[in-house]
C-alpha cells in the first residue's frame, strides 16, 4: 500500500529544526519512503493522496508516563511528592483492578493520540492490559513493567522474573515493546536493581527508573553509602545498556559526567517537576555534554495534562529562566526533545523523525489559526509550534500509515463513553 501526504510544510523533527515547505511524504506499507519538496517528488501513480492544509510533524514520543493515572487526575493537589505518593496515590492504587487499568489506559491513549503523541513510555501496573489498550487505540507503547515493594504485590524477585518473561516473550512488531521499570533506588533494594539491570543488558531491554526527582529522596542512601544516587547506581553495576532515567533534577557535575560516561538517557518532565515543586533540571548542561534527553509528560495525576506540545513550551521557558538566557534552548531543540531526541532517548531509531526508513507516524497540525500568523520565513512555523500551539491544534494522526485520529476524533474508540467510565471508576477508587 502506498500513500502520498501533501502539506503546507513538513517539520522533520531533527535537532537542526528542518522545515520543508510545500512538502510531500511518501509512505509504503507503514514506512516512510521519501520526504521532500513537492517539486522534487518522484512519480507515484499508484499512491493514495492525502492532502492536509497544515503542517505535518512526526508523531510525538512521550518519554515518561504513567498514563492510567487519569483515574487520579487532580488528586492530592498541593502535596509534595512523598506525601502525594504515600497519602493519595498508593492507597488508591492498592484498589486498582486490571480492568480499571485497561479502561484508563484506553482513555489516556486516545487523549494522547488526540494531542499528537503516537508513542509513550509507560511504567504502570498490569502491563498486559496496557498493551491491550494501545492495541485498541492504535498507538505505540514501550511498557516498563513496574518493580515496586508495595503491600499485596509479589516478592521482588518474583516480580522481576515475571517482568523478564513478559518482555522476552513478546513479538517484536514495533507496536508494543516491554521493558523493566524498577521504581527508584530509594524504593527498590539495590540487589534487585542490579539483577534487573543485568537482565535488561542481557536481553537488550529498556531499564527505566526514577532518579533524583526531589532534593531529599537520596538522603538516606547518601547517609548509608556515602554516595549520590547516580554514583550508587554506577557502583552497583546498574548503569550501562538501555537505561532511561526519569526526572534527574538534582544532579551535580559528577552525576552528569557519570550519565555521559554510561550513556544514560534522561526523560525530562517539566510540568510534573513544576507542579510538585521538585526543581528545574540542568537541561542545557545535559545537552552540552551529549546526554540524550527526551521530553515526558509524567503521569496525568502529576502534570495534570497529557499534552506534549504544551510541555515543550514549558521546557523551553524553564531552561531559559534557569540560565537567564533566551538562547538556552532554541525552538528547534524544544520540538526535537518531543520527537527525534525522545526517540533516541528511548532507543527507538525507527520513530521520531520524518525521514526514509522510519515508521510513518504522522501528525497534522492545523495551521489555519491566528496563532500561526504571521509567517515571514520557515523558522516562524517552528517557533509557532513551540510557543503558540498545543494539542487542540492537532487535527489528524496516522500511526504506521493508519489513521487513528480524524478531524480531532479517535477513529477507534468512543471517547465520551470512556470518559464516563473513567469518572465512575475514579469515584470508586477515591472512596474505597
Amino acid at each position: 500500500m502506498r500513500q502520498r501526504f501533501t502539506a503546507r510544510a513538513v517539520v522533520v523533527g531533527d535537532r537542526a529544526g528542518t522545515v520543508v515547505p510545500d512538502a510531500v511524504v511518501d509512505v509504503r506499507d507503514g514506512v516512510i519512503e521519501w520526504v521532500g519538496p513537492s517539486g522534487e517528488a518522484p512519480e507515484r501513480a499508484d499512491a493514495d493522496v492525502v492532502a492536509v492544509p497544515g503542517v505535518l510533524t512526526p508523531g510525538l514520543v512521550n518519554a515518561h508516563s504513567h498514563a492510567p493515572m487519569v483515574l487520579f487526575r487532580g488528586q492530592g493537589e498541593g502535596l509534595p511528592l512523598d506525601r502525594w505518593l504515600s497519602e493519595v496515590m498508593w492507597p488508591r492504587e492498592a484498589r486498582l483492578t486490571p480492568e480499571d487499568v485497561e479502561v484508563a489506559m484506553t482513555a489516556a491513549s486516545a487523549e494522547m493520540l488526540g494531542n499528537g503523541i503516537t508513542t509513550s513510555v509507560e511504567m504502570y501496573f498490569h502491563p498486559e492490559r496496557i498493551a491491550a489498550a494501545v492495541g485498541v487505540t492504535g498507538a505505540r507503547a514501550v511498557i516498563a513493567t513496574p518493580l515496586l515493594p508495595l503491600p499485596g504485590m509479589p516478592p521482588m524477585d518474583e516480580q522481576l522474573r515475571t517482568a523478564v518473561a513478559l518482555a522476552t516473550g513478546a513479538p517484536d512488531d514495533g507496536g508494543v515493546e516491554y521493558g523493566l521499570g524498577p521504581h527508584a533506588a530509594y524504593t527498590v533494594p539495590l540487589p534487585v536493581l542490579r539483577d534487573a539491570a543485568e537482565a535488561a543488558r542481557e536481553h537488550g531491554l529498556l531499564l527505566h527508573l526514577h532518579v533524583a526527582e526531589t532534593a531529599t529522596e537520596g538522603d538516606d542512601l547518601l547517609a548509608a553509602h556515602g554516595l549520590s544516587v547516580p554514583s550508587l547506581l554506577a557502583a552497583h553495576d546498574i548503569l550501562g545498556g538501555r537505561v532511561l532515567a526519569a526526572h534527574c533534577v538534582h544532579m551535580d557535575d559528577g552525576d552528569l559526567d557519570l550519565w555521559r560516561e554510561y550513556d544514560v538517557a534522561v526523560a525530562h518532565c517539566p510540568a510534573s517537576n513544576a507542579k510538585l515543586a521538585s526543581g528545574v533540571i540542568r537541561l542545557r548542561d545535559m545537552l552540552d555534554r551529549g546526554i540524550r534527553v527526551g521530553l515526558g509528560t509524567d503521569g496525568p495525576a502529576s502534570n495534570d495534562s497529557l499534552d506534549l506540545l504544551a510541555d515543550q513550551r514549558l521546557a523551553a521557558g524553564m531552561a531559559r529562566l534557569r540560565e537567564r538566557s533566551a538562547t538556552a534552548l532554541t525552538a528547534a531543540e524544544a520540538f526535537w526533545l518531543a520527537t527525534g531526541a525522545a526517540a533516541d532517548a528511548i532507543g527507538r531509531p525507527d520513530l521520531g523523525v520524518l525521514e526514509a526508513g522510519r515508521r510513518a507516524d504522522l501528525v497534522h497540525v492545523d495551521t489555519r489559526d491566528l496563532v500561526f500568523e504571521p509567517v515571514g520565513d520557515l523558522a516562524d512555523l517552528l517557533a509557532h509550534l513551540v510557543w503558540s500551539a498545543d494539542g487542540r491544534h492537532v487535527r489528524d494522526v496516522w500511526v504506521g500509515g493508519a489513521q487513528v485520529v480524524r478531524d480531532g476524533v479517535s477513529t477507534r474508540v468512543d471517547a465520551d463513553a470512556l470518559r464516563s467510565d473513567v469518572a465512575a471508576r475514579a469515584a470508586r477508587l477515591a472512596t474505597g
Side-chain angles (χ1 to χ4, degrees):
M1 177 184 175
R2 270 201 166 114
Q3 300 157 288
R4 166 160 287 182
F5 293 83
T6 65
R8 174 185 182 183
V10 159
V11 179
V12 171
D14 58 357
R15 188 170 191 171
T18 302
V19 180
V20 182
D22 186 20
V24 164
V25 177
D26 284 336
V27 174
R28 184 172 186 176
D29 297 331
V31 176
I32 297 171
E33 195 173 25
W34 189 87
V35 180
S38 61
E40 301 174 15
E43 289 292 329
R44 303 280 194 226
D46 58 341
D48 294 330
V49 177
V50 181
V52 301
V55 168
L56 279 176
T57 80
L60 307 182
V61 177
N62 186 350
H64 180 62
S65 174
H66 315 282
M69 293 179 78
V70 291
L71 289 163
F72 314 123
R73 184 177 254 147
Q75 305 303 296
E77 163 60 23
L79 292 178
L81 178 66
D82 55 347
R83 292 184 57 198
W84 180 81
L85 286 171
S86 62
E87 297 176 18
V88 181
M89 293 300 119
W90 287 341
R92 285 166 168 78
E93 288 175 331
R95 296 189 281 270
L96 280 171
T97 67
E99 187 180 27
D100 289 334
V101 172
E102 184 169 344
V103 168
M105 185 66 209
T106 305
S109 180
E111 180 181 344
M112 284 191 284
L113 286 169
N115 290 330
I117 298 169
T118 53
T119 301
S120 63
V121 176
E122 299 296 338
M123 183 194 289
Y124 211 63
F125 310 104
H126 306 295
E128 291 170 293
R129 304 301 284 265
I130 294 175
V134 298
V136 169
T137 64
R140 302 188 196 277
V142 179
I143 306 169
T145 300
L147 308 176
L148 193 61
L150 289 178
M153 294 185 70
M156 295 297 298
D157 57 347
E158 182 181 338
Q159 290 184 41
L160 178 56
R161 285 196 301 271
T162 301
V164 172
L166 178 62
T168 56
D172 183 14
D173 60 2
V176 170
E177 175 190 355
Y178 291 101
L180 306 180
H183 177 261
Y186 69 90
T187 51
V188 177
L190 285 169
V192 176
L193 278 171
R194 186 168 54 247
D195 290 345
E198 182 180 351
R201 289 193 295 267
E202 179 183 351
H203 299 289
L205 306 176
L206 184 73
L207 183 77
H208 188 32
L209 71 167
H210 300 80
V211 176
E213 182 174 1
T214 68
T216 59
E217 70 182 43
D219 286 356
D220 290 343
L221 293 169
L222 180 64
H225 302 277
L227 296 170
S228 69
V229 172
S231 296
L232 192 64
L233 296 176
H236 285 262
D237 198 26
I238 294 161
L239 304 181
R242 290 175 63 193
V243 179
L244 176 66
H247 301 290
C248 301
V249 176
H250 299 277
M251 307 272 284
D252 63 21
D253 286 344
D255 297 331
L256 294 183
D257 290 342
L258 276 174
W259 259 213
R260 178 181 57 189
E261 177 184 347
Y262 287 94
D263 193 25
V264 177
V266 173
H268 173 34
C269 305
S272 172
N273 293 343
K275 185 191 175 193
L276 296 173
S278 298
V280 181
I281 196 172
R282 294 176 61 184
L283 181 56
R284 186 71 261 161
D285 292 339
M286 291 178 178
L287 295 178
D288 288 347
R289 279 173 166 81
I291 295 171
R292 292 175 294 129
V293 182
L295 202 60
T297 61
D298 207 355
S302 59
N303 184 312
D304 290 354
S305 171
L306 291 169
D307 188 345
L308 213 52
L309 285 173
D311 287 358
Q312 66 177 343
R313 178 163 59 252
L314 187 58
M318 290 173 72
R320 294 182 182 194
L321 278 172
R322 187 186 190 284
E323 305 301 331
R324 298 186 181 182
S325 168
T327 61
L329 193 75
T330 66
E333 287 177 315
F335 190 74
W336 169 66
L337 288 176
T339 51
D344 188 31
I346 71 172
R348 289 294 299 265
D350 56 330
L351 306 174
V353 179
L354 297 186
E355 65 181 13
R358 302 215 188 198
R359 298 182 191 272
D361 297 354
L362 310 174
V363 175
H364 168 216
V365 179
D366 192 348
T367 56
R368 297 171 298 181
D369 188 298
L370 185 57
V371 303
F372 287 96
E373 301 297 344
V375 177
D377 57 43
L378 292 178
D380 290 341
L381 275 176
L382 190 53
H384 296 332
L385 270 174
V386 171
W387 295 108
S388 302
D390 51 37
R392 68 190 174 92
H393 294 105
V394 172
R395 301 314 306 160
D396 306 283
V397 179
W398 294 263
V399 176
Q403 190 160 17
V404 294
V405 175
R406 179 181 293 113
D407 198 24
V409 178
S410 171
T411 64
R412 302 287 188 90
V413 298
D414 184 339
D416 289 335
L418 282 167
R419 191 176 302 115
S420 297
D421 199 352
V422 166
R425 293 173 187 275
R428 186 197 87 240
L429 292 166
T431 60

